[in-house]
Amino acid sequence: MRVLWLSPWLRTLTRVQVDALDAAGHECLVVTTDQHYEKVTARPDERVLDPAIKDPRTLPALARVVAEARRFRPDVVVSELMHDPRWLPLTRLAPLVQVVHDDRPHDATEERPWHRRAVLDLQTRTAAAVVAPSAHVAAVLSARFGRRIDVVPLTSDVPESALPAVPVPAAERRDVVLLGRMSPYKNVEVALRAWAAHTASPEYRGDRLLLLGNGPLSELDLPAHVEWRREHFSYADVLPDLARAKGSLAHYRLATQSGVQVLSMQLGIPTIVSDSGGLPEFSPPSLPPLGVDDVAGLTAVLGRLADPAVAAEIGAAARSHYLAHFSADRVAEGWTTVFARVSGRA
């Protein structure tokens, strides 16, 4: 099938997914922007538009892309976090599959203006199919919109070819990582309390807690053995630290799913998650979720993972879990099933 994929924000994730679809025999054309924090060079299958809605100078390029998309004659259109009303004609070229990642904002910093919500809700109500990455989000959306919601799990937005050698052996494991935009919902304060308790315990083996990322959190009272690198990182910058970590923290207060969780499993890193939202759906049996305020439980898990042999063993199980359920080719199978149904080719 020919797939037109509209993804102005999640450019790296879209690349991984369309590559898997290409490998499965589909043909994809991507319309995107340069707004993702990972800056990349345009590929032959991408059309990169300027997101400046109020600038009339962007309209000729948009018109050219719309004309090319018509000539492409897609069998299905995927719209993912697309709230630009100028792009709506692209959603009408074939049956629309609307992707909704979150059932609500994680916190006040992620609230969208009303006009963006209106565009997204319009697509969700009128699409031929709506896809969520977790059963948790699907259930909430189904109740809200009164319609069927398909589930296609999240995959990692880092291709396997870009990974360092994984999984890292036990002898090279060190530190625990909390990666991503430092926002209130990331539950950093609870992580710091648990880390302070861990470093004061007999299980502590000299590791650091690395906070990797900038964000709206301003000042944090950092205990000993914590390093906060307040920068916007590329994957090349952070993958080496994450790949050799004893653990990755995605112990969020409010979550639907987590790209950090999926990436960590892909790298073979034990990933500690909370019981919020869809995080438990992605978690392997070897490391069950914890309550969002369970400082004692989080401290105990940190103590367990301090042993590098234990961290390596649980990490290998996490990578196996990822490959079995969330790898790009597995996710492409899910997309293909949805596409076949909405295009009448089931």
Side-chain angles (χ1 to χ4, degrees):
M1 283 185 283
R2 291 184 299 277
V3 181
L4 176 63
W5 200 298
L6 314 177
S7 182
W9 291 96
L10 303 179
R11 189 172 178 182
T12 57
L13 177 61
T14 298
R15 286 182 168 198
V16 170
Q17 296 184 125
V18 301
D19 284 347
L21 289 168
D22 287 340
H26 306 289
E27 183 181 357
C28 300
L29 178 64
V30 176
V31 182
T32 186
T33 71
D34 198 27
Q35 296 177 93
H36 196 277
Y37 59 84
E38 183 86 356
K39 299 308 178 184
V40 293
T41 303
R43 307 191 321 183
D45 60 354
E46 289 179 328
R47 302 297 176 264
V48 185
L49 292 176
D50 190 322
I53 291 179
K54 297 181 180 180
D55 189 343
R57 293 173 296 180
T58 66
L59 296 178
L62 174 61
R64 288 192 294 271
V65 168
V66 172
E68 181 182 4
R70 287 198 179 101
R71 294 192 298 271
F72 181 65
R73 299 184 63 186
D75 298 299
V76 64
V77 178
V78 179
S79 180
E80 189 167 26
L81 293 182
M82 194 289 289
H83 44 63
D84 188 334
R86 303 174 306 162
W87 291 29
L88 286 174
L90 292 165
T91 68
R92 302 183 183 118
L93 298 179
L96 176 64
V97 176
Q98 170 76 347
V99 186
V100 182
H101 283 260
D102 302 307
D103 60 277
R104 56 178 169 167
H106 291 113
D107 56 44
T109 67
E110 295 191 356
E111 290 282 355
R112 294 189 181 98
W114 69 267
H115 57 278
R116 291 186 175 184
R117 296 197 304 270
V119 173
L120 292 169
D121 284 355
L122 171 66
Q123 294 175 87
T124 303
R125 294 182 188 282
T126 60
V130 179
V131 169
S134 67
H136 166 79
V137 173
V140 175
L141 295 178
S142 180
R144 181 183 303 165
F145 291 97
R147 59 171 301 165
R148 168 179 175 169
I149 309 294
D150 292 286
V151 177
V152 177
L154 191 69
T155 190
S156 168
D157 60 351
V158 177
E160 286 283 315
S161 60
L163 298 183
V166 294
V168 170
E172 299 176 24
R173 299 264 177 166
R174 63 178 181 271
D175 301 330
V176 173
V177 173
L178 201 167
L179 170 66
R181 190 168 184 263
M182 295 298 158
S183 298
Y185 77 90
K186 292 292 181 71
N187 211 17
V188 179
E189 290 82 0
V190 168
L192 294 178
R193 287 162 56 196
W195 185 256
H198 167 61
T199 58
S201 73
E203 286 76 25
Y204 179 60
R205 299 202 182 188
D207 297 299
R208 298 169 298 170
L209 173 61
L210 302 179
L211 309 182
L212 304 180
N214 207 341
L217 287 181
S218 54
E219 297 301 323
L220 293 171
D221 186 12
L222 301 181
H225 313 295
V226 177
E227 181 180 328
W228 187 6
R229 302 179 192 169
R230 299 189 63 173
E231 302 174 36
H232 293 289
F233 295 105
S234 68
Y235 284 121
D237 295 327
V238 299
L239 283 178
D241 283 321
L242 185 59
R244 60 175 173 258
K246 292 180 178 178
S248 172
L249 283 174
H251 185 254
Y252 304 152
R253 298 203 69 79
L254 182 64
T256 43
Q257 69 285 321
S258 167
V260 171
Q261 179 186 15
V262 176
L263 172 60
S264 299
M265 291 192 298
Q266 180 192 24
L267 289 167
I269 305 304
T271 309
I272 307 168
V273 302
S274 71
D275 56 4
S276 177
L279 297 180
E281 297 175 41
F282 291 78
S283 186
S286 54
L287 207 57
L290 301 169
V292 295
D293 290 308
D294 188 358
V295 175
L298 182 52
T299 303
V301 173
L302 292 170
R304 183 183 173 201
L305 296 178
D307 183 335
V310 173
E313 180 182 357
I314 295 177
R319 176 159 172 81
S320 295
H321 185 69
Y322 169 84
L323 293 173
H325 301 285
F326 307 110
S327 62
D329 57 341
R330 294 291 188 193
V331 170
E333 293 172 3
W335 286 120
T336 299
T337 299
V338 174
F339 296 163
R341 189 181 79 246
V342 301
S343 66
R345 298 189 182 187

